[in-house]
């Protein structure tokens, strides 16, 4: 009879055990190799960081651009090192200004890192293209502008958004030329980023902004309205007035916000002219705007809203607007209180408390 162990013939048990031990040993070898490689990579990354720190320090502390340390030469043929160096220089540039930031840009070009970034614009991977755009725009590589322009309507969001923002970082207001033919909507967050990247406007800016107000792309119209508000383009006041009658509620709301920033003598009257047939959202925003721009000519309208509107927030806004529209606003509300019920008196008292 064959001897057995744990229900298996001895020979089968031996081979099963050998296989298990071999597998465990193989797993051990793989883990050991992984740990060794991980430590080696960490040591390599640490040595890179130390070397790059020297490059950044010398460039940032020099009055004129210097030649990069010769110690870099041993690493510049390493593609991974070049990518890491480029990203490190870009990150450092964000925290510097003046000569220090300019010197880093010079080093970036001296090492031909700009050529690497331009080459990565042709990558099949969206995140690599987006990263390359970030580097090129941060380092002000104007030679990359044509390639970046070609990406502003890209079907992948990450590429399209970085290309738009990158152009504005490169060229300021002129970088917004892509709005002329923009096909995709611009998100609120993207609009905020673009606005923050524009420090000043050229003399002919109003002409371009006026064209964007007439765009078929609703988000471009809204962005143009935000530009007008930020830079207070008073010459476009009448163009903005036309937008409070737009079919788009979003355009209407932004038009009202913009008019509050560029208000003129006829603004309040124009806002009121649209009021009766407008949506509740328009009325709420209009009253808030009138709190700051209404004059004595709007007093009768404001009193009408205070007396007759069913919305307590609109009535409160009307009361606040009355206080601000005339030096006699307090006296007008005191007299009005005598003719209103208790809820209305409470609203007036609330408005007056915030006024003092």
């Amino acid at each position: 009879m064959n001897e057995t162990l744990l229900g298996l013939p001895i020979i089968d048990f031996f081979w099963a055990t050998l296989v298990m031990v071999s597998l465990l040993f193989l797993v051990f070898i793989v883990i050991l190799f992984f740990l060794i490689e991980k430590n080696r990579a960490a040591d390599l990354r640490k040595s890179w960081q130390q070397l790059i720190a020297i490059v950044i320090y010398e460039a940032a502390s020099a009055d004129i651009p210097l030649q990069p340390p010769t110690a870099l030469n041993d690493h510049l043929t390493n593609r991974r090192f070049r990518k890491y160096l480029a990203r490190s220089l870009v990150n450092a540039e964000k925290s510097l200004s003046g000569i220090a930031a300019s010197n880093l840009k010079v080093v970036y070009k001296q090492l031909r890192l700009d050529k690497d970034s331009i080459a990565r614009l042709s990558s099949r991977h969206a995140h690599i293209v987006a990263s390359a755009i970030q580097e090129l725009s941060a380092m002000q590589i104007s030679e990359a502008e044509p390639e970046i322009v070609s990406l502003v309507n890209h079907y992948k969001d990450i590429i399209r958004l970085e290309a738009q923002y990158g152009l504005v970082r490169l060229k300021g207001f002129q970088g917004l030329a892509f709005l002329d033919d923009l096909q995709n909507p611009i998100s609120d967050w993207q609009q905020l980023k673009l606005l923050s990247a524009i420090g000043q406007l050229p003399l002919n800016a109003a002409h371009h902004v006026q064209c964007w107000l007439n765009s078929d792309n609703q988000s471009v119209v809204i962005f143009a309205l935000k530009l007008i508000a930020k830079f207070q383009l008073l010459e476009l006041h009448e163009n903005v007035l036309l937008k409070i009658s737009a079919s788009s509620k979003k355009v209407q709301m932004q038009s009202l916000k913009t008019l509050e920033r560029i208000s003129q003598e006829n603004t309040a009257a124009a806002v009121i002219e649209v009021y009766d047939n407008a949506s509740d959202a328009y009325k709420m925003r209009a009253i808030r705007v009138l709190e700051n721009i209404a004059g004595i000519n709007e007093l009768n309208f404001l009193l009408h809203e205070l007396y007759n509107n069913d919305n307590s927030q609109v009535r409160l806004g009307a009361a606040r607007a009355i206080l601000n529209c005339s030096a006699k606003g307090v006296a007008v509300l005191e007299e009005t209180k005598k003719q209103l019920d208790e809820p209305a008196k409470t609203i007036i008292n609330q408005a007056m408390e915030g006024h003092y």
Side-chain angles (χ1 to χ4, degrees):
M1 294 179 63
N2 292 331
E3 295 184 17
T4 63
L5 186 61
L6 299 178
L8 292 173
I10 291 295
I11 188 64
D12 291 345
F13 179 81
F14 170 78
W15 284 112
T17 302
L18 182 60
V19 170
M20 289 295 296
V21 171
S22 299
L23 288 174
L24 288 173
F25 181 73
L26 182 60
V27 170
F28 171 76
I29 293 298
V30 170
I31 292 174
L32 181 62
F33 177 79
F34 173 77
L35 292 174
I36 292 172
E37 282 297 307
K38 183 178 180 181
N39 289 334
R40 190 184 70 82
D43 291 340
L44 182 62
R45 181 66 59 90
K46 185 176 181 180
S47 68
W48 286 358
Q49 289 173 341
Q50 292 172 343
L51 181 57
I52 293 171
I54 295 173
V55 175
I56 293 172
Y57 174 78
E58 291 185 353
S61 58
D63 292 332
I64 58 174
L66 299 175
Q67 289 296 323
T70 55
L72 276 179
N73 295 338
D74 296 334
H75 301 279
L76 288 178
T77 56
N78 186 321
R79 290 178 60 188
R80 289 177 60 194
F81 175 78
R82 292 179 68 85
K83 288 179 66 176
Y84 187 72
L85 173 60
R87 178 51 55 185
S88 297
L89 292 179
V90 169
N91 289 337
E93 190 272 342
K94 293 177 183 177
S95 60
L96 299 174
S97 60
I99 295 177
S102 297
N103 286 350
L104 283 184
K105 293 182 176 73
V106 171
V107 170
Y108 182 82
K109 295 198 70 173
Q110 284 176 339
L111 298 175
R112 298 180 64 82
L113 297 175
D114 55 324
K115 306 303 180 186
D116 295 354
S117 297
I118 290 175
R120 289 201 294 276
L121 291 177
S122 301
S123 172
R124 291 176 298 175
H125 302 288
H127 70 281
I128 293 178
V129 177
S131 176
I133 295 171
Q134 290 175 0
E135 293 173 9
L136 292 165
S137 60
M139 296 315 229
Q140 294 294 294
I141 308 301
S142 57
E143 296 92 329
E145 181 188 338
E147 288 88 345
I148 297 176
V149 168
S150 69
L151 300 173
V152 296
N153 280 308
H154 199 277
Y155 70 96
K156 290 186 177 179
D157 290 351
I158 186 174
I159 294 177
R160 182 176 69 253
L161 299 182
E162 285 299 342
Q164 294 170 3
Y165 182 56
L167 281 175
V168 176
R169 293 189 71 186
L170 274 174
K171 301 191 66 179
F173 179 83
Q174 285 83 357
L176 292 173
F178 67 86
L179 294 176
D180 294 345
D181 303 298
L182 188 66
Q183 301 161 13
N184 296 283
I186 320 172
S187 69
D188 291 341
W189 173 243
Q190 180 74 346
Q191 290 182 39
L192 182 62
K193 285 182 64 179
L194 295 175
L195 284 170
S196 67
I198 301 171
Q200 57 185 5
L201 299 184
L203 294 177
N204 63 342
H207 168 73
H208 295 286
V209 178
Q210 182 177 352
C211 292
W212 298 332
L213 280 177
N214 297 317
S215 172
D216 293 331
N217 187 324
Q218 176 182 288
S219 64
V220 172
V221 176
I222 292 172
F223 180 74
L225 290 167
K226 291 178 180 178
L227 269 176
I228 294 169
K230 177 178 179 178
F231 294 99
Q232 294 186 301
L233 299 177
L234 301 179
E235 61 267 45
L236 295 179
H237 175 265
E238 297 304 311
N239 301 86
V240 177
L241 279 183
L242 296 175
K243 295 301 176 181
I244 60 176
S245 300
S247 58
S248 165
K249 297 297 185 291
K250 289 185 177 180
V251 172
Q252 279 190 332
M253 295 301 102
Q254 185 56 52
S255 299
L256 288 171
K257 294 177 185 178
T258 299
L259 287 169
E260 188 173 5
R261 294 275 294 161
I262 62 169
S263 65
Q264 298 182 15
E265 289 185 1
N266 63 330
T267 304
V271 169
I272 292 172
E273 184 178 350
V274 181
Y275 188 90
D276 284 342
N277 297 320
S279 65
D280 290 341
Y282 177 95
K283 292 178 180 179
M284 287 288 294
R285 171 55 64 178
I287 286 294
R288 289 177 62 183
V289 170
L290 291 171
E291 287 181 32
N292 297 313
I293 70 171
I296 191 65
N297 292 333
E298 287 69 55
L299 180 58
N300 288 337
F301 166 81
L302 295 170
L303 284 171
H304 178 272
E305 290 303 297
L306 180 58
Y307 274 104
N308 300 298
N309 201 294
D310 295 330
N311 188 311
S312 61
Q313 291 301 310
V314 171
R315 299 178 80 180
L316 177 61
R320 288 171 175 163
I322 290 169
L323 288 171
N324 295 331
C325 77
S326 168
K328 299 180 180 179
V330 174
V332 170
L333 286 186
E334 290 288 1
E335 183 63 29
T336 302
K337 281 170 61 177
K338 301 175 182 178
Q339 308 169 41
L340 296 174
D341 56 18
E342 287 303 317
K345 291 179 181 179
T346 301
I347 289 173
I348 291 176
N349 289 335
Q350 184 179 347
M352 296 178 72
E353 287 173 5
H355 185 69
Y356 294 117

